[in-house]
Amino acid sequence: MNKSLALLASAAVAALASHTATAAGLDTGDLVFSAFNADEDGWAMVAFADIAPNTTVYFTDNEWNGSTGFNTGESYHRWVSGADTVAAGTVIRFSKIDTTSLSSSVGTLSRQAVSGSTNYGLAASNETLYAYLGSATAPTTFLSAITNGSFAVDGSIAGTGLTEGLNAIRLNKNTPSATPDFGQYDGARSGQPNFAAYKALVGDVANWTVDTTNGNYAATVPNTTAFTVTAVPEPQTYALMLSGLLAIGFVARRRKG
């Protein structure tokens, strides 16, 4: 291949790489809880879409009132994803949120000061935790929610766009009398054709290990094994590849003419 063709081929490859690396804005269900631990005061989440650099996600265990906002008295946290794209399939651990050494395995987790909300731990019962975009007290997009109580009593999902059993997880669904300290998704993390196919699996509590005896899970580390798929090029990727190959062919024909 001559120099001109080599440059065009490189440009085509770069276009493909650029397409696959571009992270779109997150939507409901693109970042979902995969673990909850009230004893350790932490949780884990799985990304089902690429997360753009420096994306900000807020968390609160103040209860959503179903229409206009959160109540007060509990906590708010702010997570910034970092300078690099977080790849779909990544599982992110958020730990020790009630201490000054709170942290996340990717990006930076910090406390978000909101008047009237300074209780930074997770309760072992009747607790609902939300993840969302926007600002601390004014969500624009709810990503996921998890409760060890009830979405009817302990924090509503009305008006959030969330669906119980898909991106809103009720840990005691199968044992309503339980108040789980701990729950973790233990289902498949490989074998699906795309990341969207995992959403129903993670949303189904039948695929979780859930505490029903109020055991002590303070030292339990959540599973952070990444989710994987068999890569299938998207239509846009095929279009980019075709345009690159056509450009290479056009130059080749001109040089032969």
Side-chain angles (χ1 to χ4, degrees):
M1 183 182 291
N2 63 40
K3 187 174 181 180
S4 296
L5 294 181
L7 288 172
L8 282 169
S10 296
V13 171
L16 289 173
S18 174
H19 171 76
T20 56
T22 298
L26 294 177
D27 202 352
T28 299
D30 284 345
L31 186 63
V32 177
F33 290 100
S34 61
F36 173 94
N37 192 336
D39 293 335
E40 189 263 346
D41 289 286
W43 60 83
M45 303 195 79
V46 53
F48 288 134
D50 287 351
I51 301 176
N54 300 313
T55 293
T56 298
V57 175
Y58 292 93
F59 301 96
T60 189
D61 57 337
N62 283 300
E63 289 81 16
W64 175 251
N65 65 16
S67 58
T68 59
F70 298 105
N71 64 8
T72 59
E74 301 194 67
S75 68
Y76 291 90
H77 288 85
R78 178 176 182 262
W79 176 65
V80 180
S81 63
D84 299 321
T85 297
V86 179
T90 301
V91 177
I92 307 154
R93 180 189 180 192
F94 301 85
S95 57
K96 300 180 180 178
I97 66 154
D98 63 332
T99 72
T100 56
S101 59
L102 77 170
S103 65
S104 55
S105 59
V106 177
T108 303
L109 180 68
S110 60
R111 292 175 174 175
Q112 182 73 27
V114 174
S115 178
S117 295
T118 56
N119 179 6
Y120 290 103
L122 293 176
S125 63
N126 309 111
E127 185 77 291
T128 298
L129 178 64
Y130 303 88
Y132 53 96
L133 307 177
S135 67
T137 57
T140 55
T141 302
F142 281 87
L143 300 172
S144 185
I146 191 167
T147 187
N148 60 5
S150 166
F151 288 123
V153 177
D154 304 307
S156 177
I157 56 172
T160 64
L162 299 172
T163 301
E164 183 177 329
L166 184 61
N167 40 48
I169 299 154
R170 180 161 62 94
L171 291 174
N172 62 2
K173 178 180 179 181
N174 297 329
T175 312
S177 62
T179 54
D181 295 1
F182 172 83
Q184 174 173 266
Y185 173 75
D186 283 328
R189 295 178 185 238
S190 63
Q192 295 300 314
N194 52 61
F195 289 111
Y198 286 108
K199 292 183 178 182
L201 296 179
V202 176
D204 186 352
V205 177
N207 297 319
W208 285 59
T209 296
V210 178
D211 163 56
T212 58
T213 60
N214 294 332
N216 188 341
Y217 295 86
T220 301
V221 176
N223 186 350
T224 56
T225 301
F227 289 62
T228 60
V229 298
T230 301
V232 178
E234 298 176 357
Q236 298 96 323
T237 303
Y238 284 120
L240 284 168
M241 184 182 297
L242 180 60
S243 64
L245 293 175
L246 287 173
I248 292 171
F250 175 74
V251 171
R253 286 195 300 272
R254 290 193 62 184
R255 292 185 66 83
K256 288 180 180 180

